[in-house]
Amino acid sequence: FLITRNLDLIICGNAECKKIFIDKGVKRQKLVVYPQMGMDFSIIKKFKNNMPSKECSIIYCGRIVYEKGIHILIKTFLELQRNGYKPKLLLAGKGKGKYFREIKKEIKKIKNINLIETLSKEKMYETFSKYTFFVLPSITTKVWKEQFGFTIAESMSLPQILSLGSNSGAIPEVLKLKECVFEENDYLSIFNKIKYFMDNPKEKAAISLLQSEIALKNYSNEAVGKLYGQSLSKLLLDKK
C-alpha cells in the first residue's frame, strides 16, 4: 500500500483487480479497468470472409493444465457423441507433468480429438475461422481464477466462430454476452450451450457476428491504445 498510495494511475486488468485495490484503500479515481493488450486486426481481416463451418467442431487454444478445464471439455465432447452429434475437437497448446500425460493418454482412446503444438498467431486466426466453437472451460482453484483469457477475445474477432467461456474470473467481462457463458466445472452446462447453438444456427451466426464487432470495438490495438492514451494524456494535463 505504501507504493500504490503514491501512484497517480493504476491500470487494472479486470474488475476484481480494481476491487482489491479499493478494498486496500486506493481511491477509485486512480483506478481504471482496461485490457492488458490488443489484437492486430490487419492479420485477422485476412480470414474474416472464410465460409463458416456447419460441423460440430470445437477448438481450444492455451495451456494444457488442470485449471484450464481440458478434462471437462473432453467430457463435453463425449456427451455430444452420446447425443447423436459428430463432434471434432482440436486442442492447441503445451503442457507438462502428470495432468498433461493423463490428457494425452485419454485422447488417444477417442476418435476425432487431436492435440497439437501451440499455433502461430496467423495460423491460429486461420484455424478459428474454420471452426464452429471456441471453448475456454477454465476452473477456479484456491489460488487461481481466469484473469482475462486473451485467447477468447482473439477467437471473438472472427465472425465464423462462436466463443464460449466459463464464469471463472474475468471471462464474463471479456465475452460481454451472458448467452455465451456457462457454469465452470460443469460439462453439461457446456454441452447445453453447444447443443442450443447447433440446433439454432441462425442465432449462432448472429451472436458470432456480434462478438466480432465487440472484439473490434474493445480489443483491437487501436481501441486499447486509445484507452491508454486518453488516461495518460489526462494524467499529464492534471499534472500541469
Side-chain angles (χ1 to χ4, degrees):
F1 182 67
L2 289 172
I3 296 173
T4 56
R5 183 175 58 187
N6 295 313
L7 294 175
D8 297 304
L9 177 67
I10 300 174
I11 299 174
C12 306
N14 55 60
E16 186 161 350
C17 175
K18 180 180 179 179
K19 182 179 181 299
I20 290 170
F21 279 116
I22 291 171
D23 291 344
K24 289 184 178 293
V26 178
K27 294 179 181 179
R28 288 177 180 269
Q29 58 265 34
K30 290 186 176 184
L31 301 165
V32 294
V33 179
Y34 296 156
Q36 295 167 333
M37 63 183 78
M39 293 180 286
D40 184 352
F41 269 74
S42 68
I43 300 173
I44 294 165
K45 68 181 182 180
K46 296 178 184 179
F47 311 110
K48 289 182 77 76
N49 294 322
N50 288 359
M51 288 296 294
S53 171
K54 295 181 180 180
E55 297 180 302
C56 185
S57 55
I58 305 161
I59 183 171
Y60 163 85
C61 290
R63 295 179 295 135
I64 311 297
V65 293
Y66 173 83
E67 60 267 26
K68 291 295 186 176
I70 310 305
H71 56 292
I72 302 298
L73 189 51
I74 293 171
K75 287 183 179 180
T76 303
F77 177 92
L78 295 173
E79 186 68 17
L80 286 163
Q81 284 187 330
R82 284 192 288 269
N83 282 268
Y85 295 93
K86 296 179 180 179
K88 66 176 183 179
L89 172 61
L90 179 64
L91 305 172
K94 295 181 179 180
K96 59 182 178 179
K98 182 180 178 181
Y99 182 81
F100 185 50
R101 291 194 300 270
E102 289 177 347
I103 290 296
K104 287 198 295 182
K105 183 179 178 181
E106 184 173 1
I107 64 176
K108 283 181 180 178
K109 307 172 188 175
I110 307 171
K111 187 178 180 181
N112 289 332
I113 300 183
N114 293 305
L115 173 62
I116 63 172
E117 289 283 310
T118 304
L119 296 166
S120 68
K121 285 294 182 186
E122 185 160 340
K123 188 64 179 177
M124 181 184 71
Y125 291 129
E126 181 183 9
T127 306
F128 283 161
S129 74
K130 297 176 180 178
Y131 274 72
T132 310
F133 301 101
F134 174 89
V135 179
L136 183 58
S138 301
I139 301 170
T140 301
T141 70
K142 291 181 180 179
V143 297
W144 183 88
K145 62 178 65 175
E146 192 65 70
Q147 300 301 298
F148 188 84
F150 193 69
T151 52
I152 205 163
E154 291 177 310
S155 65
M156 287 169 65
S157 67
L158 275 303
Q160 300 92 337
I161 190 170
L162 181 66
S163 303
L164 305 173
S166 76
N167 57 352
S168 174
I171 293 175
E173 288 179 57
V174 178
L175 284 168
K176 302 186 185 301
L177 297 170
K178 64 181 181 180
E179 301 94 328
C180 301
V181 179
F182 53 81
E183 290 295 320
E184 64 174 284
N185 208 14
D186 185 346
Y187 75 93
L188 288 177
S189 184
I190 308 174
F191 164 77
N192 287 329
K193 289 288 183 185
I194 292 175
K195 180 181 185 300
Y196 177 81
F197 287 114
M198 284 298 297
D199 295 346
N200 295 274
K202 289 184 178 180
E203 187 167 352
K204 181 265 173 190
I207 295 180
S208 296
L209 181 60
L210 178 57
Q211 284 187 334
S212 70
E213 294 168 355
I214 290 171
L216 178 61
K217 181 180 178 180
N218 294 277
Y219 308 128
S220 68
N221 285 335
E222 292 77 12
V224 175
K226 184 178 180 180
L227 290 173
Y228 279 68
Q230 287 173 341
S231 288
L232 293 172
S233 296
K234 183 178 182 301
L235 185 62
L236 291 172
L237 288 171
D238 291 343
K239 286 288 185 182
K240 288 183 177 181

